[in-house]
Amino acid sequence: MILVVGDSLSAEYGLRRGSGWVGLLEQRLAKEKISARVVNASISGETTSGGRSRLPALLEQHKPTHVIIELGGNDGLRGLPIAGTEANLAQMTLASQRAGAKVLLVGMQVPPNYGTDYSNKFSAMYEKVAKQHKAELVPFLLKGVADIPDAARLFQPDRIHPREEAQGPMLDNVWPHLKKLLAAK
């Protein structure tokens, strides 16, 4: 069982039900004949603090074999201290591993208006947590979506949430890392 704990990018904000990258993941698993149930416990607006407080009950309830943690973007958008976000991601990773799950950490980047120093430290935080706790890492969920010349066409009018046509590329960023974890014994 794969548990996804994320924010609006995983909770299908502004999208048709089932058309987000997590819904597409379920379809990919079926197509690849990989028997795994997906529980999407993502909530729009979720921070790492909220995810950390909700995770123990989710682990107890669902007993996942794999946990995908897609959080931190809202912490970054709010300019929260990176040390707190990092500690929350580390604790979520450890709690998932202690519960017997393999962890896939999904990285995010903040817009450049937060300054180069904050932006660099923010994106490096994911790699640091993944390395320290031997978790798999997707470096940037929105690679090929937010970092292309005509990126605005792939976003909803709020310029924060990707449109339906961006969900496939988002899954393509996650899939190779998840497939590797699913294959590991």
Side-chain angles (χ1 to χ4, degrees):
M1 202 286 285
I2 301 167
L3 175 66
V4 181
V5 183
D7 54 30
S8 57
L9 299 179
S10 298
E12 299 182 326
Y13 179 89
L15 302 173
R16 278 183 309 117
R17 190 93 181 107
S19 67
W21 76 266
V22 178
L24 298 177
L25 169 61
E26 292 180 273
Q27 294 171 27
R28 176 87 49 100
L29 289 164
K31 189 176 116 189
E32 300 260 341
K33 296 181 178 23
I34 297 171
S35 177
R37 194 168 62 90
V38 178
V39 171
N40 191 352
S42 302
I43 297 176
S44 291
E46 186 76 285
T47 60
T48 57
S49 175
R52 181 178 176 178
S53 68
R54 288 190 313 117
L55 186 63
L58 291 168
L59 293 171
E60 178 65 30
Q61 180 184 353
H62 299 291
K63 306 205 181 331
T65 55
H66 297 79
V67 176
I68 300 174
I69 302 171
E70 182 276 305
L71 288 170
N74 288 315
D75 297 48
L77 290 175
R78 294 173 187 170
L80 297 177
I82 291 172
T85 300
E86 183 179 316
N88 289 332
L89 290 171
Q91 284 306 310
M92 291 178 73
T93 300
L94 284 170
S96 298
Q97 290 170 334
R98 283 189 198 116
K102 292 182 173 82
V103 176
L104 176 58
L105 195 57
V106 180
M108 186 47 56
Q109 295 176 6
V110 291
N113 57 309
Y114 285 79
T116 308
D117 187 53
Y118 186 85
S119 296
N120 290 342
K121 286 179 180 170
F122 187 85
S123 49
M125 158 189 74
Y126 290 97
E127 188 174 339
K128 183 178 174 188
V129 171
K131 226 177 231 168
Q132 279 179 341
H133 302 289
K134 295 178 176 55
E136 186 67 24
L137 174 68
V138 175
F140 182 34
L141 178 62
L142 299 178
K143 183 169 179 43
V145 175
D147 57 358
I148 59 173
D150 57 344
R153 71 177 173 81
L154 293 175
F155 284 84
Q156 296 176 38
D158 64 10
R159 299 179 63 98
I160 294 173
H161 298 97
R163 299 167 66 93
E164 200 169 307
E165 52 269 34
Q167 302 301 309
M170 290 165 64
L171 175 58
D172 289 343
N173 291 330
V174 172
W175 180 248
H177 303 280
L178 179 60
K179 190 173 182 181
K180 183 170 141 185
L181 276 184
L182 290 168
K185 294 295 173 208

